[in-house]
Amino acid sequence: MNALELRDISCYFDGLHALKDVSLQVGPDEFVGLLGPNGAGKTTTLNIASGAVHIASGGVMFRGVDVTRKSISQRSRLGIIRSLENNGVFDRLSVIDNVVAGLRYGSISSRRMAASRWLKEVGISLDRRGNQLSLGQQRRLELARIFARIEEFRDDCVVLLD
């Protein structure tokens, strides 16, 4: 069974085809990159997989379940993790709270321990706030969030990096 599958996806923006009959399969434990020039549909494809963009036709399957009509938050709870070009750092929160905000399971203390461990792993000082981070550090913070979410799902997830 594929971890993620897009079947014959078509998408329009203002009447123009953004994607036409695109299919993609990602198996468990596979890493897949989308390559192409600006405007080729790479980000649109990721947005469709995460539920941020609605499709005109086709379907999205995640671990054998049709998620085509599920929202971003519903897909996220199932294990579709999306990272954006804009990191979405919460400026006023501590870096630990930035990571904890994306975690859903376990006690608050276990979530804070996981956040602390992953922040140390990516080299972010624990005594910082989001607005004190450089762009490179914000990207590291995003990696800590992703790693903590992957750990939470015990690798039964898909990560969409932009």
Side-chain angles (χ1 to χ4, degrees), residues 49-78:
S50 70
V53 169
H54 298 287
I55 57 176
S57 62
V60 179
M61 303 291 289
F62 177 64
R63 296 187 333 228
V65 175
D66 187 345
V67 296
T68 307
R69 302 290 172 230
K70 294 198 181 296
S71 68
I72 294 172
S73 61
Q74 290 171 319
R75 293 181 196 198
S76 176
R77 284 191 292 273
L78 291 172

Side-chain angles (χ1 to χ4, degrees), residues 11-18:
C11 175
Y12 301 89
F13 294 121
D14 296 325
L16 297 173
H17 261 116

Side-chain angles (χ1 to χ4, degrees), residues 89-99 112 119-120 122-138 140-141:
V89 170
F90 299 111
D91 286 343
R92 295 182 180 177
L93 293 183
S94 69
V95 294
I96 288 178
D97 288 338
N98 262 274
V99 176
R112 291 183 69 77
L119 287 163
K120 287 178 185 172
V122 300
I124 299 289
S125 175
L126 301 181
D127 61 348
R128 314 270 319 264
R129 295 210 172 281
N131 62 2
Q132 297 174 315
L133 302 177
S134 69
L135 286 176
Q137 291 170 324
Q138 289 177 25
R140 288 177 182 224
L141 173 58

Side-chain angles (χ1 to χ4, degrees), residues 24-89:
L24 171 71
Q25 296 177 348
V26 180
D29 301 323
E30 274 190 324
F31 291 87
V32 175
L34 302 178
L35 303 174
N38 289 344
K42 302 176 300 290
T43 298
T44 299
T45 301
L46 296 177
N47 286 338
I48 287 169
S50 70
V53 169
H54 298 287
I55 57 176
S57 62
V60 179
M61 303 291 289
F62 177 64
R63 296 187 333 228
V65 175
D66 187 345
V67 296
T68 307
R69 302 290 172 230
K70 294 198 181 296
S71 68
I72 294 172
S73 61
Q74 290 171 319
R75 293 181 196 198
S76 176
R77 284 191 292 273
L78 291 172
I80 298 177
I81 301 168
R82 178 75 161 97
S83 168
L84 303 170
E85 286 180 271
N86 173 353
N87 296 321
V89 170

